[in-house]
C-alpha cells in the first residue's frame, strides 16, 4: 500500500531548499513551498505495508516504501536506554548517546555539523528508559542520501569520544542537572519514578555526582557493549526501493561493535516488583504544589492495551472532556490542567495522574482525584463517554501517520517492541471493539489502590524531611 505523507515543516530551511532545487528543479521549488505556506498536505492513509527482515549483520530491519516525496527517514534504535546503565554509572546512557555525534572517525563535531548542513540533512534521536536512538532525515537523490548516510554510519560505528569534548559535555550535563534539581517538577518526577520502581533499573536516577564521575572509558565501554547489531532495530521510511533499503540497513550496521564472546550485555531487564501504596512529600518554596499519583502497570504488547488506552481517554487523557478535568477544574477550580496517561515499556511502565494546584488546596485536590479514579475503576465509563472516546481515537488516528516522521515513530516502536506488523492496520478496529466491561476489568487488574504512589512537591515539610524524601 502506498503511504501519503504531509510535507515536513522544516523543509522551509535554506539548506533543504537548496537541496530540493537539485531534485525538483528550480522552477518547481517556488510552487512546492507555496503549498507548504498554504498549509496543504497530502491525504494520509492508515495501515502502510511494513516489510521486515534480519540484515546479515544481525540487525532487525523494518521498511515502509513511499515515493510520495523525495525524502528518506531512518531511525536506528538500540537496547541501550537508561535502564541498562551499570550500577553506579547512572547517566552513562544519555551522555554516551549525546557524544556520538560530537566527533567520529576522522570528523570533528564541527565537521559533522557542517557536512549535514551542506546536505540539508538532519540528525536527531534521544534516550528513554529502554532505547537509545539516532535518526536521520535526508533527501533521497543519490548524492545527498549517500552523503548523509555516510555521516550516520560513521557516527554509529566510529564515535571518537574526544577527551576534551567528553569533559565539556559532562560539565554541561552536571550543571544542567543541578539547575533542574531546583525545579519542583523535576523533584516530583524523580521522586515518582524512584518510589514506583525502587531498586529496579527504571528507578535509577542520575545525580550530579554520578555524572561527574563518568570517564571517557565509561562511555566507550557502554557504546561497545550496547551499540551492537544484535541490539539494533533499523527503521526506514520513504523514497527507497527494497533493494536500496536492504543495502542501507546492512551498511549502517555492518561496522557496529562485535558481540562479546559471552554474548555481550543482556537484552533482558528484571521484572518489576509492585510498590506498596505510599505518600511522599518533598518540601519546596514553590507557590503551587506538584502532585503525581500512579503505579507500574503493563508492558508493551499486553492484551489490555486497548481497553486501558480507551478508558484513559475518558479518565484523564481526553483533555477538557475527561472526567478528571471536569471534576478537578470545571467543578472546583483546583487546577488549570489535570491529566492521566499510560507509558508501557519493555517491563511494566507507569500509569500517572498529574496536576498543579495551590499549596493550601493540595489535600482537597488529591481527594477529588482519588475519588474520581476509584469511581472510574469501580464503574468504568458510561456508554456515551465510551462512544465519544472511540470517535476521537478513531477519527484522530490518521493524524498519527500523516508525515514521514510520525510514521517512522510508529513503525520504529512496532519493530523495537516486537509488536505485530498489522498493529497499525488493526488499531482502529481494536479501539472500536472495546467495551465498558473490558475497561473496568483492565483497570481493576492494572490500577490498584494498594499499589498507588502519591508524590507531593511544595509542602511545608522541614528541610531535613525533604532531603530524605528526595
Amino acid at each position: 500500500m502506498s503511504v501519503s505523507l504531509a510535507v515536513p515543516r522544516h523543509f522551509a530551511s535554506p539548506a533543504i531548499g537548496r537541496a530540493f532545487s537539485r531534485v525538483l528543479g528550480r522552477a518547481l521549488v517556488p510552487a512546492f513551498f507555496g503549498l507548504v505556506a498554504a498549509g496543504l498536505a497530502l491525504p494520509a492513509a492508515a495501515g502502510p505495508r511494513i516489510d521486515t527482515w534480519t540484515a546479515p549483520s544481525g540487525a532487525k530491519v523494518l521498511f515502509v516504501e513511499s515515493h510520495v516525496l523525495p525524502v528518506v527517514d531512518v531511525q536506528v534504535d538500540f537496547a541501550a536506554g537508561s535502564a541498562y546503565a551499570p550500577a553506579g554509572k547512572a547517566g552513562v546512557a544519555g551522555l554516551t548517546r549525546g557524544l556520538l555525534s560530537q566527533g567520529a572517525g576522522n570528523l570533528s563535531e564541527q565537521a559533522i555539523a557542517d557536512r549535514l548542513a551542506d546536505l540539508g540533512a538532519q540528525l536527531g534521536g534521544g534516550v528513554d528508559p529502554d532505547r537509545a536512538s539516532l535518526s536521520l532525515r535526508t533527501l533521497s537523490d543519490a548524492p545527498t542520501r549517500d552523503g548523509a548516510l555516510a555521516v550516520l554510519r560513521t557516527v554509529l560505528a566510529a564515535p571518537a569520544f574526544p577527551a576534551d569534548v567528553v569533559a565539556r559535555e559532562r560539565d554541561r550535563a552536571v550543571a544542567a542537572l543541578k539547575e533542574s534539581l531546583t525545579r519542583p517538577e523535576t523533584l516530583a518526577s524523580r521522586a515518582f519514578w524512584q518510589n514506583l520502581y525502587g531498586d529496579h533499573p527504571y528507578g535509577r536516577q542520575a545525580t550530579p555526582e554520578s555524572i561527574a564521575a563518568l570517564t571517557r572509558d565509561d562511555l566507550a565501554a557502554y557504546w561497545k557493549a550496547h551499540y551492537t547489531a544484535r541490539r539494533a532495530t533499523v527503521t526506514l521510511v520513504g523514497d527507497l526501493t527494497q533493494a536500496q533499503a536492504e543495502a542501507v540497513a546492512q551498511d549502517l550496521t555492518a561496522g557496529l561493535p562485535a558481540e562479546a564472546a559471552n554474548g555481550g550485555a543482556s537484552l533482558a531487564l528484571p521484572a518489576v516488583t509492585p510498590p506498596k501504596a505510599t505518600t511522599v512529600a518533598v518540601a519546596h518554596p514553590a507557590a503551587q504544589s506538584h502532585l503525581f499519583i500512579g503505579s507500574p502497570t503493563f508492558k508493551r504488547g499486553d492484551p489490555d492495551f486497548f481497553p486501558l488506552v480507551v478508558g484513559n481517554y475518558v479518565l484523564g487523557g481526553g483533555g477538557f472532556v475527561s472526567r478528571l478535568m471536569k471534576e478537578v477544574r470545571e467543578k472546583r477550580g483546583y487546577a488549570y490542567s489535570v491529566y492521566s496517561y499510560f507509558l508501557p515499556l519493555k517491563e511494566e511502565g507507569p500509569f500517572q495522574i498529574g496536576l498543579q494546584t495551590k499549596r493550601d488546596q493540595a489535600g482537597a485536590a488529591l481527594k477529588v482525584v482519588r475519588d474520581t479514579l476509584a469511581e472510574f475503576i469501580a464503574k468504568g465509563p458510561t456508554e456515551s463517554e465510551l462512544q465519544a472516546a472511540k470517535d476521537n481515537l478513531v477519527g484522530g488516528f490518521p493524524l498519527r501517520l500523516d508525515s514521514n516522521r510520525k510514521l517512522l515513530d510508529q513503525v520504529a516502536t512496532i519493530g523495537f517492541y516486537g509488536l505485530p506488523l498489522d498493529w497499525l492496520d488493526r488499531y482502529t478496529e481494536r479501539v472500536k471493539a472495546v467495551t465498558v466491561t473490558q475497561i473496568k476489568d483492565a483497570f481493576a487488574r492494572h490500577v490498584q489502590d494498594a499499589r498507588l504512589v502519591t508524590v507531593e512537591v511544595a509542602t511545608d515539610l522541614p528541610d531535613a524531611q525533604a532531603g530524605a524524601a528526595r
Side-chain angles (χ1 to χ4, degrees):
M1 178 184 295
S2 64
V3 182
S4 299
L5 304 173
V7 175
R9 288 177 297 172
H10 67 265
F11 277 4
S13 72
I16 291 287
R18 291 193 297 270
F20 254 97
S21 71
R22 297 197 300 269
V23 180
L24 301 177
R26 294 185 182 275
L28 295 181
V29 173
F32 177 84
F33 286 117
L35 290 175
V36 177
L40 298 179
L42 299 170
R49 171 179 169 177
I50 302 173
D51 293 307
T52 186
W53 63 90
T54 300
S57 65
K60 182 178 182 179
V61 187
L62 291 92
F63 171 51
V64 175
E65 182 173 354
S66 172
H67 304 288
V68 175
L69 291 173
V71 180
V72 175
D73 278 282
V74 183
Q75 182 164 314
V76 187
D77 292 312
F78 295 91
S82 59
Y84 291 98
K89 303 289 184 182
V92 68
L95 198 58
T96 300
R97 164 60 193 86
L99 267 292
L100 293 182
S101 59
Q102 303 298 305
N106 61 358
L107 299 174
S108 67
E109 57 181 324
Q110 189 60 53
I112 292 172
D114 290 345
R115 179 61 173 154
L116 292 170
D118 289 343
L119 294 167
Q122 293 187 338
L123 191 65
V127 175
D128 65 23
D130 291 336
R131 289 187 279 182
S133 304
L134 287 96
S135 62
L136 176 74
R137 164 160 286 194
T138 177
L139 292 169
S140 60
D141 64 295
T144 304
R145 180 194 69 217
D146 293 346
L149 288 169
V151 174
L152 178 58
R153 180 180 65 246
T154 302
V155 166
L156 285 170
F161 301 115
D164 59 333
V165 178
V166 171
R168 183 195 70 203
E169 295 303 312
R170 182 181 58 217
D171 290 346
R172 284 182 178 177
V174 170
L177 180 55
K178 285 182 177 178
E179 191 280 329
S180 181
L181 290 173
T182 66
R183 294 188 235 133
E185 60 269 25
T186 299
L187 297 177
S189 178
R190 288 168 67 90
F192 185 71
W193 280 78
Q194 287 170 348
N195 284 275
L196 253 61
Y197 292 105
D199 294 333
H200 189 275
Y202 287 163
R204 293 175 187 162
Q205 303 282 341
T207 65
E209 294 75 20
S210 71
I211 295 175
L214 295 173
T215 67
R216 180 193 180 280
D217 289 345
D218 291 327
L219 307 189
Y222 194 79
W223 166 77
K224 185 175 182 180
H226 296 85
Y227 284 76
T228 66
R230 185 174 71 94
R231 303 176 77 92
T233 302
V234 181
T235 306
L236 305 105
V237 174
D239 189 21
L240 293 171
T241 65
Q242 176 87 20
Q244 288 171 329
E246 291 175 0
V248 167
Q250 174 61 12
D251 188 52
L252 288 176
T253 57
L256 292 174
E259 292 291 343
N262 63 359
S266 174
L267 289 162
L269 291 173
V272 172
T273 301
K276 295 181 180 179
T278 185
T279 297
V280 179
V282 181
H284 192 278
Q288 288 200 318
S289 291
H290 290 64
L291 309 176
F292 289 161
I293 301 174
S295 68
T297 50
F298 68 104
K299 306 177 187 180
R300 283 283 180 181
D302 191 292
D304 283 332
F305 176 88
F306 287 96
L308 291 171
V309 166
V310 176
N312 183 67
Y313 183 90
V314 177
L315 174 64
F320 286 102
V321 301
S322 73
R323 287 258 192 107
L324 285 170
M325 188 71 84
K326 291 176 180 177
E327 294 296 328
V328 175
R329 173 183 163 138
E330 294 182 14
K331 291 185 179 180
R332 298 169 177 86
Y334 284 153
Y336 178 80
S337 176
V338 57
Y339 62 86
S340 65
Y341 70 87
F342 289 97
L343 178 63
L345 297 167
K346 282 185 70 110
E347 295 299 323
E348 288 82 356
F351 163 72
Q352 180 174 323
I353 298 174
L355 70 152
Q356 298 175 36
T357 189
K358 293 179 181 178
R359 296 168 68 107
D360 60 2
Q361 60 190 26
L366 278 173
K367 184 178 187 306
V368 172
V369 169
R370 290 191 179 110
D371 289 347
T372 303
L373 176 60
E375 181 179 14
F376 187 82
I377 293 172
K379 299 180 180 179
T382 65
E383 288 293 345
S384 61
E385 286 176 324
L386 176 59
Q387 189 58 53
K390 291 179 179 181
D391 290 345
N392 182 277
L393 293 170
V394 170
F397 183 70
L399 298 178
R400 299 187 181 191
L401 307 176
D402 68 353
S403 73
N404 239 26
R405 180 65 55 80
K406 292 178 183 178
L407 184 58
L408 182 78
D409 290 342
Q410 295 285 344
V411 178
T413 298
I414 289 170
F416 184 82
Y417 287 106
L419 301 177
L421 292 182
D422 66 354
W423 182 261
L424 299 177
D425 294 283
R426 299 190 59 199
Y427 191 95
T428 57
E429 72 177 68
R430 288 171 174 167
V431 168
K432 292 177 182 178
V434 170
T435 67
V436 170
T437 298
Q438 288 175 336
I439 292 173
K440 288 172 56 181
D441 291 346
F443 268 79
R445 280 191 291 271
H446 295 282
V447 184
Q448 299 178 10
D449 187 65
R451 298 177 179 178
L452 288 178
V453 170
T454 301
V455 172
E456 179 180 353
V457 174
T459 71
D460 297 320
L461 280 175
D463 289 341
Q465 287 179 272
R470 294 177 197 178

